[in-house]
Amino acid sequence: MDTMMMDAMKSGDMMSMRGMPAMDMAMMQRCMDACAACEQACTVCAMQGMDCAPACMNCADMCNTMMRSMLRMQGMTPAVMMSMLDACMAMCQMCMDMCMAHSNDDVCMMCAQACKACMDACMEMKTAMMAAA
Amino acid sequence: MDTMMMDAMKSGDMMSMRGMPAMDMAMMQRCMDACAACEQACTVCAMQGMDCAPACMNCADMCNTMMRSMLRMQGMTPAVMMSMLDACMAMCQMCMDMCMAHSNDDVCMMCAQACKACMDACMEMKTAMMAAA
Amino acid sequence: MDTMMMDAMKSGDMMSMRGMPAMDMAMMQRCMDACAACEQACTVCAMQGMDCAPACMNCADMCNTMMRSMLRMQGMTPAVMMSMLDACMAMCQMCMDMCMAHSNDDVCMMCAQACKACMDACMEMKTAMMAAA
Amino acid sequence: MDTMMMDAMKSGDMMSMRGMPAMDMAMMQRCMDACAACEQACTVCAMQGMDCAPACMNCADMCNTMMRSMLRMQGMTPAVMMSMLDACMAMCQMCMDMCMAHSNDDVCMMCAQACKACMDACMEMKTAMMAAA
């Protein structure tokens, strides 16, 4: 996400969740970027017609929904956000596991990498939220 | 979802999750229909420009992702499905709570009703899965 | 879409586009239902890993976007709506053509049928809009 | 989109459309990035509850569908792609016009800028395709 847009959101207090201190902007940006990259990688990987495809399609949709939700923090409570992060991490884990089984396929390897990065970024967010709670 | 399509999916064994006995088709259909109806109600409600709008948009996206995932059971494990159901129920609950505060707005009341129906259908699925596990 | 929701939208004047007389509600409802059914059929068909899968995934996304746009008529002009309908019909046509080539696959046949129904409903909308313009 | 992923797609011939010479990768990447940035900007702008919100939501969905379609070129013909580009440009134009009317709102100004960039990138694609046809 564009830096100017992040600044505009911050100044307009658009990032604050109900009942939660404002999040670290750089961390959120990392997480949204990881979700967007994962959606794209999974969309490409799903097209290969391998047995990971259904998991990849599910993961692409969940990552897009996760990213959009982070752009709409006012529409979440910390509890809802935690639950969404859990679902996103679970979906990424499964997609990664399926793709890792195709270790000689370049697209699957990159999809697995993107899933791992998305899981890590979601976990960073969850850890920070639990520390702040 | 169309009955003929459900039959085609069933015969093709497309509804079976890895490591899970086949789900009750009628229950799944109820849940997918409730998700689809909730996505539509939330999409309409979000357009009103009230303070429930961000929650409604989040809920519309989550319900669509939930519905699509149920059409792609091969791309989920029972654990991932449970986690998605939890996130969907949490999001519906929040959206319902926000809309219930606007008790004199017809669209919000219908949106809250659709959220409640979606939560109930997701809970029915979760309960059945826990019993089968 | 639920009848009560349609009534609420109508009474709230949520269905009127800028610079366009109000649309026929029953026709719009048919079109949204056809889009939703097509999204679901394409989502299922895409999972089969056949060569129609990329077209099915594109069609599922376009039909969902088309349906949501019709729920948000205030966010379109007649010209934009026409352009969206054209894109949706073109995408449905391609998906139908790909699936028709698999005439001994039940899911593909139902997907093709859903694409045809969606195209027809979009054409009905376009024809009505051109007559009203 | 990640450079490594683009390379993997290219080597796997995943970017070639039926009946169309392979597209310029750098141009496609610019267009997908512009669509992704526009989806994010519109998602944020839609949350402000201003009269541009319905157009912003429509534009966010259309841009996501456009971006995903470009990641799934095998699921489009040149004619379908042209039609999608037209719809995306029309939607971006409308969203930009609505947001430009709010010239003292920072988020709307950035949303309008993102819509303009997306339109330009789509036009670049269309022009290249028409030249190649």
Side-chain angles (χ1 to χ4, degrees), chain A residues 47-101:
Chain A
M47 249 199 340
Q48 299 188 102
M50 297 168 77
D51 68 354
C52 52
C56 293
M57 293 183 228
N58 286 341
C59 197
D61 285 342
M62 187 64 219
C63 286
N64 181 260
T65 293
M66 188 74 243
M67 181 202 70
R68 287 184 171 204
S69 297
M70 278 185 283
L71 290 170
R72 295 185 293 227
M73 292 293 257
Q74 292 176 318
M76 285 198 287
T77 58
V80 174
M81 171 101 176
M82 293 280 201
S83 189
M84 298 274 290
L85 287 167
D86 283 339
C88 192
M89 287 186 282
M91 196 62 247
C92 286
Q93 175 79 63
M94 184 198 176
C95 187
M96 184 180 78
D97 292 345
M98 298 290 294
C99 287
M100 290 291 276

Side-chain angles (χ1 to χ4, degrees), chain D residues 68-87:
Chain D
R68 287 183 171 205
S69 297
M70 278 184 284
L71 292 170
R72 296 186 292 228
M73 291 294 257
Q74 292 177 315
M76 286 198 286
T77 59
V80 173
M81 171 100 175
M82 293 278 200
S83 189
M84 298 274 288
L85 287 168
D86 282 339

